[in-house]
Amino acid sequence: MAFFFLPLFFILILPLTNAGYWPPSPGYYPSSKFRSMGFYQGYRNLWGPAHQSVDINGITIWLDRTSGSGFKSVKPFRSGYFGTSIKLQPGYTAGVITAFYLSNNEAHPGYHDEVDIEFLGTTFGKPYTLQTNVYIRGSGDGKIIGREMKFHLWFNPTQDFHHYAILWTPREIIFFVDDVPVRRYERKSIATFPLRPMWVYGSIWDASSWATGDGKYKVDYRYQPFFGKFTNFKASGCSAYAQAWCQPVSASPFRSGGLTTQQSRAMQWVQSHYLIYDYCKDYKRDHSLTPECWH
């Protein structure tokens, strides 16, 4: 009799044992709603042109001892959905930052806004860290207030391309990984939300002073060059030059924004399984500077 029950046992148990490793379906896939474009349709080199290679599918940028590299969108936006598929360098990448982000640093030096997706490099056998961050009217003089939430991923980001995206509207910022929302940052006050137009950037650079183990592990150029591959660019929304009636896009079926119940559940699942740092829960932080944590 046990012989006949054994297969049924595995049929019932195996799906449960896998349930803790892959996010539940978000039920809605915003990346499918926006058209992909080639690199030169929306971007140009910003720095390190000798460390870039553009082809029909996208761009590869790299860091070596001489330089890193970066690119920037042709136009600024005041809201939109901004995504790209990225494949990261395997092996030892400590100290290396591969980033896709929004910023107006060049327009407002020393007093800029920024919304970041950053991959913090790692040592052999350790996973990458995905860091999301929001700056509001910050500066580079030590007064900048970071709002970091860090995650490990439920896949190896060096084995294939995965889609990473930021939705930014006057009401909210939502970060996505393969259409699964991992973080939602709501506008709770003008003082804690970026509203000025921003450009879209991608870059790879040496952040040995803080990126891995708070600076314990540095970039080791014996393993150079360090590559970041970007493709499947999406940038859809209201540019800074659009008419006032231009309506922000949504990352859910609701034109008003927000997330569906199913999307929210997927986000909660990710945060319960893969969130490794939340600035609002860091008791060493001065939370008088981040009042959104308590409202």
Side-chain angles (χ1 to χ4, degrees):
M1 184 67 72
F3 175 83
F4 293 103
F5 280 111
L6 190 58
L8 180 59
F9 173 83
F10 279 106
I11 289 172
L12 293 174
I13 295 299
L14 284 178
L16 296 178
T17 60
N18 291 331
Y21 297 96
W22 206 265
S25 167
Y28 186 82
Y29 300 89
S31 69
S32 68
K33 308 300 179 183
F34 306 109
R35 186 176 59 189
S36 297
M37 62 182 178
F39 177 77
Y40 285 124
Q41 287 180 272
Y43 295 90
R44 296 292 184 270
N45 167 71
L46 179 62
W47 60 287
H51 290 68
Q52 297 184 358
S53 175
V54 181
D55 60 31
I56 192 170
N57 294 317
I59 184 171
T60 298
I61 56 177
W62 60 90
L63 166 71
D64 62 23
R65 196 181 300 274
T66 63
S67 179
S69 188
F71 55 87
K72 177 184 178 181
S73 63
V74 174
K75 58 187 177 183
F77 294 84
R78 64 173 187 258
S79 68
Y81 174 95
F82 312 99
T84 183
S85 295
I86 302 173
K87 185 178 181 182
L88 299 172
Q89 174 96 352
Y92 186 98
T93 55
V96 179
I97 295 288
T98 308
F100 182 71
Y101 61 104
L102 311 177
S103 179
N104 49 32
N105 182 51
E106 293 171 277
H108 305 284
Y111 196 62
H112 76 288
D113 309 299
E114 191 168 309
V115 180
D116 295 331
I117 289 176
E118 297 175 305
F119 298 95
L120 312 187
T122 190
T123 57
F124 290 116
K126 301 294 184 181
Y128 268 90
T129 295
L130 171 68
Q131 175 169 282
T132 64
N133 209 344
V134 179
Y135 298 127
I136 297 96
R137 292 181 291 281
S139 66
D141 61 2
K143 297 178 181 177
I144 195 164
I145 300 169
R147 292 168 167 84
E148 303 92 343
M149 287 181 69
K150 301 179 184 181
F151 303 82
H152 285 157
L153 296 166
W154 50 94
F155 53 83
N156 184 341
T158 72
Q159 291 182 342
D160 204 350
F161 285 93
H162 291 268
H163 199 71
Y164 307 92
I166 298 167
L167 177 98
W168 170 48
T169 77
R171 292 186 174 187
E172 62 189 355
I173 297 166
I174 304 174
F175 298 86
F176 292 89
V177 177
D178 287 338
D179 285 310
V180 177
V182 299
R183 177 183 183 182
R184 183 178 181 224
Y185 182 87
E186 296 180 79
R187 175 179 170 179
K188 296 183 177 179
S189 71
I190 293 178
T192 60
F193 198 86
L195 292 169
R196 297 177 296 178
M198 291 190 276
W199 285 258
V200 192
Y201 294 82
S203 64
I204 190 167
W205 53 289
D206 184 332
S208 290
S209 63
W210 64 270
T212 309
D214 292 327
K216 180 180 179 181
Y217 301 100
K218 314 293 185 183
V219 174
D220 188 337
Y221 286 104
R222 291 179 298 174
Y223 302 108
Q224 71 176 20
F226 304 97
F227 289 91
K229 299 177 183 290
F230 296 73
T231 190
N232 192 24
F233 289 98
K234 297 174 185 283
S236 186
C238 299
S239 77
Y241 316 121
Q243 298 294 325
W245 46 258
C246 180
Q247 292 296 308
V249 297
S250 174
S252 75
F254 311 133
R255 287 190 58 84
S256 58
L259 297 171
T260 66
T261 299
Q262 193 168 346
Q263 284 178 307
S264 296
R265 286 174 179 164
M267 181 174 69
Q268 290 165 5
W269 186 95
V270 170
Q271 293 187 1
S272 66
H273 287 80
Y274 290 99
L275 178 65
I276 58 173
Y277 177 83
D278 182 345
Y279 75 105
C280 281
K281 297 179 180 178
D282 186 344
Y283 69 91
K284 294 178 289 186
R285 297 281 297 262
D286 179 0
H287 290 296
S288 67
L289 301 175
T290 55
E292 71 278 0
C293 290
W294 311 119
H295 298 290

